[in-house]
Amino acid sequence: MNKKSIASTIAISAIALVALAGCSQSKSPSSSNTQSSAFSKAQSAVTATPSVLKELAKEAKKQGQIHSVGMPNNWANYSETWKDIENKYHIKHTDNNMTSGQEIATFIAQGKHANADIGDVGFSYCKIADKKGLLAKFKPTTWNSIPEWAKTPDGACMLSYTGTIAFLVDKSLVKTVPTSWHDLVNGHYKISIGRVGSAGQANAALLSAAHAMGGNEDNLKPGYTYFEKLAKNHRLTLETPTLANVAKGGIGVAIMWDFNALNMHALLKNNSNFEVLIPSDGAVTNGYSTALNINGKQLAAAKLSREYMLSDQGQINFAKGNARPIRSDVKLPEAIKKKLLPASEYKNTFHIKNYSAWTKTVKSIPANWQQYVMPYLS
């Protein structure tokens, strides 16, 4: 549950985004042409075909390993997915848990001496990284089943699954369960949002609150004002919404993706004291994309991992972790469907309409959060 809540600071995320924003608009020195000369024809292929996949499987087996960032076992059922990939392609997987911003910063910092092969990042972070030439491109065999809004035409970014911002409410601490952002400002319990400016989940929570207060992806000021008020009233905690922090008590409402909230709910002792709901006055639905490091040493394994995650079984694995598969043509078992929240909870959710504006806005979140909210937190 703590994929996007590794110990970090606003400063780290700011450095990461400044590094991305500050680069020239030209491609980085490690462009796709450089990659083509360093790797085999199959590893340089942009489109999956039977022959390409066959060659990638041979090369992945020789490589024998894959190193991911931000793709831990307890996030969206990655445990089962990585086990399947290890068995299918005969490779060993390791992960270093970090936020979306930190993943991209890692790609930059490691450069051609990369240890990280693949990451799982918010769509806006993926698009920023793609523009800077940090990502390898690969369209899986299920490319045509991925909605147009959920992918970039070049094959660098494509959502694997989506989540919607939700409240996980500890009813032993909260007398009246808040069903909206407007309700949330009432009461005296603590609220946890996580690492705003670094984690895609926390940024989405900020956007959702802003939307409920009249803002949008191009205007987060209502969201900053909202959380500034909570911070001034000592309602906002610096504790991240992890299983350990929620279980020990003290956090009345944890704001997170619905799949994280449902997974956490299942793991909590006395979980009858907890409730998961979607705020009725606005919650963004967004997702995560695999990010293939163009300098990754195990690029064959990384491309095969993307291929598997977007296959029927890979999509079902995400659903088992309460995330919603990006592909609508995958038939989910009834037992899995029943674990998800009812459709009625999602009637007032929204998608990001202007990704260009949101990508620009994301770059400014660390500094603005530091200015408006952090002074009132301790």
Side-chain angles (χ1 to χ4, degrees), residues 103-360:
E103 290 175 50
I104 301 306
T106 296
F107 285 9
I108 294 172
Q110 292 182 350
K112 293 183 179 180
H113 305 287
N115 178 61
D117 300 307
I118 185 173
D120 183 44
V121 299
F123 206 20
S124 57
Y125 287 94
C126 193
K127 289 188 173 187
I128 292 171
D130 183 27
K131 288 182 179 180
K132 302 306 175 185
L134 298 171
L135 306 180
K137 299 164 176 55
F138 189 65
K139 300 178 181 180
T141 53
T142 53
W143 174 256
N144 290 334
S145 297
I146 302 169
E148 293 299 321
W149 67 265
K151 60 188 178 185
T152 55
D154 63 354
C157 303
M158 62 208 69
L159 299 187
S160 301
Y161 57 93
T162 65
T164 301
I165 287 298
F167 295 166
L168 176 62
V169 184
D170 185 342
K171 293 185 290 186
S172 69
L173 301 173
V174 179
K175 292 182 179 180
T176 303
V177 174
T179 60
S180 68
W181 294 100
H182 286 83
D183 288 346
L184 193 62
V185 297
N186 300 316
H188 303 284
Y189 49 85
K190 293 289 186 178
I191 299 164
S192 172
I193 185 176
R195 307 293 183 182
V196 177
S198 177
Q201 175 176 263
N203 290 349
L206 172 62
L207 173 59
S208 296
H211 183 274
M213 300 299 139
N216 54 42
E217 55 261 41
D218 196 32
N219 175 25
L220 293 184
K221 187 59 168 64
Y224 294 125
T225 301
Y226 181 88
F227 284 105
E228 179 184 34
K229 180 179 179 180
L230 288 175
K232 284 181 176 179
N233 291 332
H234 309 290
R235 298 281 310 287
L236 204 59
T237 176
L238 283 171
E239 287 191 330
T240 53
T242 63
L243 177 61
N245 286 338
V246 172
K248 72 181 182 182
I251 296 176
V253 175
I255 307 172
M256 62 184 74
W257 294 120
D258 53 355
F259 59 85
N260 277 338
L262 289 168
N263 289 336
M264 192 177 294
H265 183 272
L267 294 172
L268 286 164
K269 295 180 179 179
N270 301 319
N271 61 9
S272 60
N273 290 332
F274 292 84
E275 181 176 344
V276 179
L277 59 92
I278 306 297
S280 62
D281 49 358
V284 67
T285 294
N286 205 0
Y288 287 83
S289 170
T290 45
L292 310 182
N293 189 352
I294 199 167
N295 291 310
K297 299 299 185 294
Q298 282 77 230
L299 189 55
K303 289 188 172 184
L304 287 174
S305 295
R306 171 178 282 182
E307 171 70 21
Y308 185 79
M309 291 171 191
L310 286 157
S311 70
D312 287 4
Q313 188 56 51
Q315 293 285 279
I316 290 172
N317 282 354
F318 286 128
K320 287 181 180 179
N322 294 306
R324 293 182 180 266
I326 195 60
R327 290 177 50 211
S328 61
D329 59 338
V330 176
K331 185 176 181 179
L332 299 179
E334 287 300 319
I336 295 176
K337 287 183 181 179
K338 291 179 181 179
K339 292 174 56 182
L340 303 175
L341 291 175
S344 59
E345 285 283 328
Y346 297 87
K347 61 184 178 180
N348 291 324
T349 60
F350 66 96
H351 290 276
I352 294 172
K353 295 180 180 179
N354 188 341
Y355 262 106
S356 178
W358 178 237
T359 299
K360 182 179 180 181

